[in-house]
Amino acid sequence: MRNAPLGCTESNRNQPKFTMPPPLDLREFQDKLTTHFRPFQRSFQFWVRAADIYSGYKAFQLRVTFEKDVQKQEAMWERQHEIAADKIYNMCSDLGGFFLKIAQIIGKPDLAPAAWVKRLVTLCDQAPTTPYLVVRVVLEKELGRNVDELFERFDADPIGSASIAQVHRARLKGAKDDVVVKVQHPGTRDLMMTDIRNLQAFALYMQKTDIKFDLFSVTKEMEKQIGYEFDFKREADAMERIRRFLYENNKKAPVKVPRVIRDMVTRRVLVMEYIDGTPILKLEDEICKRGINPGGKMATAAKRNILKSLTLAYGQMILKSGFFHADPHPGNILICKGSEVALLDYGQVKDLPDSLRLGYAKLVLAIADNDPIRASESYRELGIDTLSKCEDEQKEMLKLAQTMFDTKMPPGITMLQPFSEGSSIKKISVQAFPEELFSVLRTVHLLRGLSVGLGINYSCAEQWRPIAEEALYLAGRLKGEDLKTKQRRRGLFGRLLGRAVSL
């Protein structure tokens, strides 16, 4: 037997050796701790900021009552809106993610104060970007090949970034045309779910105190829709389905829908056709660049054609198919040559059951015909539960339907005040609102915001009337004789069903 080293016997030589633990990686520990507590930090930031904005308005409402001069009151309100706009902007900008979507929803010229719109509209295209090296890792993991093997050219700088993903322009090997590569931001899903649950709690509080509207159901539908946005395979299927529907139901599709590169789609990566165009938010600048008077006949005609195309596409999608693109905010709309419209981003789509689709068609006809009795009947059919707080209930029900589901603004009004004391929502309490109908509501409000931004006031209900009639006729809800009578009354007899009325 070999001699053991000094101080070591045969018995202790067989004992397991003690090894020093690896040094603590403080950076890794800090990262894990930050990741664990980040949802709590976001919740804390949201509630502190939301409480500040809300309490600021409540205190102001009390203060402004002491001022009897109407003009001074208006000036005070403008200043309060400016203060709140800065706070809302900072909250949405700092927190990002889901709050960028909130900025898109509330920052519309027909709904929010002008000070809010001016600040929030700039957030549509200001989502933070994911570094190219991280994007490259995601692409290669998802597609299973090296980026250099797949693409002839890949622009490292994204052409746009939103709350869930960013898009890069590229060209596939051996191809002649460019494509758009949509890549999901890593780690955003959990944070967005945290954000929306905070918003749901805030919505419950608001509907019990100030706003007599079923806001909680609205936020539940938002939660469902945003969950879908993280699956790009679902988005690709939706894009192909809508593209096929619009191309099959029209001699020329009213809007352009990107073509999917089918073998390059995963849950986190989506490759599609590149469509060249001008974002609708920059349309006014483009018109001026070309030496065209933005308020002249040529510019107005172009804007009308743009709204006509969008309105026709949405009327057909919602009322004929029931399956529709549910996110027509300005960042998703491109204007191409000849005033053609391209509709992008199919992460948010909605498939309405026939009962809601046809019930909404009846409501469209009630709004277009200015019929308060049928509007009330349609509410009941749709499952919208209301509680009247006024004498002329049917008249207010019609006004509420027009406020919620039509794009037309009352004469001389450029901004609706849905939650003011004299509004229909204050007089008619909406106690229950179907979650699935929220996507229709949001779509109509976004279309209204676009029309106000373009300076054109029109009624989508009036434009959709022939499409709604066709939908009801095909479902056996409207007799042929009734349809002909309606068409004669409007001077439309002899026109094809489903043809959109000129804006």
Side-chain angles (χ1 to χ4, degrees), residues 39-55:
F40 299 101
Q41 291 173 334
R42 285 180 74 82
S43 297
F44 178 75
Q45 288 185 51
F46 166 76
W47 283 106
V48 167
R49 296 186 187 212
D52 180 39
I53 295 164
Y54 177 75
S55 61

Side-chain angles (χ1 to χ4, degrees), residues 453-499:
L454 292 173
I456 296 173
N457 191 20
Y458 81 107
S459 167
C460 70
E462 290 178 10
Q463 311 312 314
W464 289 348
R465 177 160 37 192
I467 307 172
E469 288 173 349
E470 180 186 9
L472 291 168
Y473 174 74
L474 293 174
R477 302 274 191 98
L478 188 65
K479 295 179 181 179
E481 293 77 11
D482 295 337
L483 181 59
K484 289 176 183 178
T485 301
K486 286 175 176 290
Q487 290 179 326
R488 284 196 189 98
R489 191 179 299 146
R490 298 197 312 269
L492 294 174
F493 183 66
R495 295 188 181 187
L496 292 174
L497 283 172
R499 182 176 175 184

